[in-house]
Amino acid sequence: MKTATKHLTKWAMLALTAALSATMLVGLTACGGESAEDVIRKGVTEELESIKNLDQAALDEIMAGAGAADAGLDEYGIDMEEFCRTWLEGFDYSVDNVTVDGENATATVTITCKSLMEGMTIFMDKVTALTEDTEAMSKPMEELNLQMGTMLMESLGEAPLETNTVDLPYALNGNTWEPGAGFDTALSEAFAGGAL
């Protein structure tokens, strides 16, 4: 039971944050006479807007990245798309500032999404209650896994929204602004709300 719980919580905290970060690891190229600040602000806004609106293409990309991170959640009865939609319910953002210093830039972004940390705390409380229920614990492991999957989805739905501000680094490569060193880690931590 402990191993299954650990697997499920680890997957929930890492796979989706990694997948969301991957959706934003794209280069931003200037068109016409746009300033570097405008190019970066526009690119970050477009990516985060597609996540906020749960555009199917963005959702497919998130699910593909999360699925690649860890397969085998079928045993918990978790539907990847439902998981993504539940987690991103209430997601919002603002691009607060973009500063450019030569070939380096930083986009300061405020992200509001469900707190994975709080969601996992709620989930662990439910798992603890389950382990104290002798009748429930007498069920076959297959049934317990499905019950844990349901509890995880419920916990995610109950998780409060949390707002975090993150500095996303960019570096100029030719004519393209690319995510800089530490970009994916910074964004993952903002999405995870300190759960990583």
Side-chain angles (χ1 to χ4, degrees):
M1 181 74 159
K2 222 175 196 181
T3 304
T5 303
K6 186 177 177 183
H7 176 262
L8 199 50
T9 55
K10 179 183 174 192
W11 177 87
M13 294 168 83
L14 296 176
L16 284 183
T17 56
L20 280 165
S21 295
T23 65
M24 294 193 61
L25 289 175
V26 295
L28 310 171
T29 306
C31 299
E34 289 181 302
S35 69
E37 289 89 346
D38 289 342
V39 169
I40 294 169
R41 182 180 294 277
K42 181 180 172 186
V44 171
T45 299
E46 285 174 1
E47 292 298 325
L48 291 174
E49 193 65 21
S50 68
I51 293 170
K52 178 180 176 175
N53 294 330
L54 286 177
D55 293 347
Q56 193 60 49
L59 198 55
D60 289 345
E61 194 173 339
I62 292 166
M63 290 187 302
D70 192 333
L73 289 177
D74 294 345
E75 66 184 288
Y76 298 100
I78 294 175
D79 175 76
M80 184 73 71
E81 183 166 342
E82 182 187 353
F83 191 104
C84 291
R85 288 185 182 280
T86 301
W87 182 34
L88 294 172
E89 185 179 50
F91 172 82
D92 206 354
Y93 71 94
S94 64
V95 181
D96 304 325
N97 190 33
V98 176
T99 56
V100 177
D101 181 11
E103 296 188 348
N104 295 299
T106 303
T108 302
V109 180
T110 299
I111 291 175
T112 299
C113 65
K114 292 208 175 154
S115 169
L116 278 184
M117 181 72 85
E118 290 299 319
M120 291 306 107
T121 299
I122 295 167
F123 174 61
M124 293 310 294
D125 289 346
K126 290 177 188 275
V127 169
T128 301
L130 178 67
T131 60
E132 293 168 356
D133 182 341
T134 344
E135 187 180 328
M137 291 306 293
S138 66
K139 293 178 182 175
M141 195 60 190
E142 188 177 291
E143 283 184 44
L144 285 172
N145 284 346
L146 290 175
Q147 191 168 352
M148 283 198 306
T150 299
M151 290 188 311
L152 179 62
M153 291 300 297
E154 288 171 354
S155 302
L156 197 55
E158 294 167 16
L161 291 172
E162 182 174 86
T163 300
N164 293 291
T165 300
V166 61
D167 288 330
L168 301 176
Y170 282 87
L172 188 61
N173 182 3
N175 193 33
T176 303
W177 285 97
E178 296 179 345
F183 179 97
D184 51 347
T185 302
L187 190 61
S188 292
E189 287 175 357
F191 272 109
L196 297 177

